[in-house]
Amino acid sequence: MIVSMTAYGRAENSSKLGRASCEIRSVNHRYLELTVRLPEEYRSLEQSIRECIGNKLKRGKVDCTIRLELNTVIDDTLPLNEALLGKLIETSEATSKKLQNPAAINALDLLRWPGILEHSSPDIDIISREIQTLVNSALQAVVDNRQREGEKIQAMILERTLQVKEIVKNVQNRMPEIIEAQREKYKLKAQELVAEFDHDRLEQEILVLTQKIDVAEEMDRLNAHVEEVDHALNQTGPVGRRLDFLMQELNREANTLGSKSAHIDTSNASVDLKVLIEQMREQIQNIE
């Protein structure tokens, strides 16, 4: 089962510690390119987050963003830094004695002084576990989205491969008739140009010309490549690069069919094949 490289997942949680969220975005890319954004104080978690994502996603440009809005006070008390407060009052009173009209000390101003209120900090281990849980939830959403998108892409590609097989079958059925028509055309042309001619030599020349327009090998290779596409679509693991290579091979055979074409039917078949191959190739760019 193939999976897409394009997906989005989000997870968030609110508790007495605050709010936390994780967003993971994934788009198509040749390799796995992973960017993790999280608060600096939790940077130590980056490696484990990378390993977690790398175990699930093998290709794609992946952005993981973690946001935290922690509560600065997690209980009903406002503990004071008594030592700092005492020094601040002492210094303020000493300064006031040196002023002619000192203003009264404002209690709220004292409380606003950095470090006077001792805020309780959440346990870093608890927050780390919360972050890891959110990453796992968001990552699972991305994996599920990728699988659903992959199912749609697979259905589209299988529909196109059936159409390719039908075109190849029609060309194979028409080729004996096309080759025979070309033989007769070459014979009539030769008879118009020469009153007396060597029949054996003419047959040899006609055989060479008809071999040049015979596309039996190209049709066999097209069928083989399409069968390999069907096989790859049912494999587990990343198959995007292999499918992209097979599209190149299919396109090469379609181009050869067009260059060898000696009839409007085979010319049209070449064009139709290239349209179908391009449609598949565009979708395969999103396959992991």
Side-chain angles (χ1 to χ4, degrees):
M1 177 62 69
I2 65 173
V3 296
S4 170
M5 285 189 285
T6 304
Y8 171 80
R10 175 182 172 84
E12 59 181 323
N13 184 46
S14 297
S15 68
K16 65 179 183 178
L17 299 178
R19 296 181 59 189
S21 66
C22 175
E23 287 185 347
I24 300 179
R25 302 172 186 271
S26 171
V27 296
N28 60 318
H29 196 268
R30 189 173 182 181
Y31 305 105
L32 177 61
E33 181 180 315
L34 179 57
T35 301
V36 178
R37 300 181 180 89
L38 73 164
E40 196 60 38
E41 57 268 32
Y42 298 99
R43 184 58 61 181
S44 60
L45 296 175
E46 180 175 350
Q47 185 59 35
S48 63
I49 292 173
R50 286 181 171 275
E51 291 176 359
C52 179
I53 296 175
N55 289 334
K56 295 286 187 178
L57 311 180
K58 303 305 179 184
R59 287 183 65 200
K61 187 177 186 301
V62 182
D63 290 322
C64 176
T65 303
I66 297 167
R67 297 182 177 88
L68 295 175
E69 297 177 9
L70 299 179
N71 297 327
T72 56
V73 179
I74 60 174
D75 53 33
D76 296 331
T77 64
L78 291 174
L80 294 175
N81 187 331
E82 298 288 352
L84 178 59
L85 179 61
K87 291 181 180 179
L88 183 60
I89 293 174
E90 181 182 342
T91 302
S92 179
E93 290 176 344
T95 303
S96 296
K97 292 178 181 179
K98 298 179 182 181
L99 300 176
Q100 293 182 350
N101 297 306
I105 299 177
N106 189 304
L108 288 177
D109 289 339
L110 290 175
L111 292 175
R112 293 191 186 102
W113 192 269
I116 291 298
L117 290 177
E118 295 180 332
H119 301 297
S120 299
S121 299
D123 190 314
I124 190 170
D125 291 334
I126 296 176
I127 299 301
S128 298
R129 288 195 295 270
E130 179 70 20
I131 290 174
Q132 195 64 56
T133 300
L134 288 174
V135 170
N136 290 335
S137 298
L139 181 59
Q140 188 58 50
V142 169
V143 170
D144 292 343
N145 288 339
R146 279 182 158 211
Q147 290 177 346
R148 287 193 296 269
E149 185 68 20
E151 290 173 1
K152 296 177 182 177
I153 294 175
Q154 183 175 23
M156 188 283 294
I157 295 176
L158 287 174
E159 180 183 347
R160 299 304 189 278
T161 57
L162 287 175
Q163 295 179 48
V164 170
K165 292 177 183 178
E166 187 64 26
I167 292 173
V168 170
K169 181 179 178 181
N170 291 337
V171 171
Q172 288 175 324
N173 291 338
R174 290 277 289 126
M175 280 312 298
E177 179 184 341
I178 291 173
I179 291 175
E180 182 60 30
Q182 289 300 115
R183 289 184 76 259
E184 294 301 320
K185 180 180 177 180
Y186 294 147
K187 273 186 176 183
L188 291 174
K189 190 65 176 177
Q191 289 173 353
E192 292 175 0
L193 295 175
V194 182
E196 294 181 2
F197 56 90
D198 187 336
H199 287 275
D200 293 336
R201 178 63 183 273
L202 178 60
E203 285 296 331
Q204 292 176 3
E205 294 295 332
I206 290 175
L207 178 60
V208 172
L209 291 172
T210 53
Q211 286 177 341
K212 289 182 179 180
I213 66 170
D214 188 5
V215 292
E217 291 184 6
E218 286 75 11
M219 295 299 98
D220 289 341
R221 285 195 290 268
L222 277 169
N223 274 326
H225 294 328
V226 171
E227 291 297 332
E228 186 59 30
V229 170
D230 290 344
H231 176 71
L233 290 174
N234 292 309
Q235 298 300 300
T236 57
V239 295
R241 293 181 189 175
R242 178 160 185 77
L243 287 171
D244 189 55
F245 170 75
L246 288 170
M247 291 303 108
Q248 296 177 33
E249 295 302 304
L250 284 169
N251 196 61
R252 180 178 292 110
E253 302 303 334
N255 284 331
T256 304
L257 173 62
S259 64
K260 284 188 172 183
S261 178
H263 192 277
I264 186 64
D265 288 352
T266 51
S267 295
N268 290 339
S270 173
V271 172
D272 292 341
L273 284 172
K274 287 191 280 187
V275 169
L276 292 171
I277 294 166
E278 180 61 21
Q279 290 174 348
M280 289 189 287
R281 191 193 66 80
E282 289 177 355
Q283 294 298 324
I284 285 170
Q285 300 305 308
N286 289 321
I287 293 178
E288 184 178 70

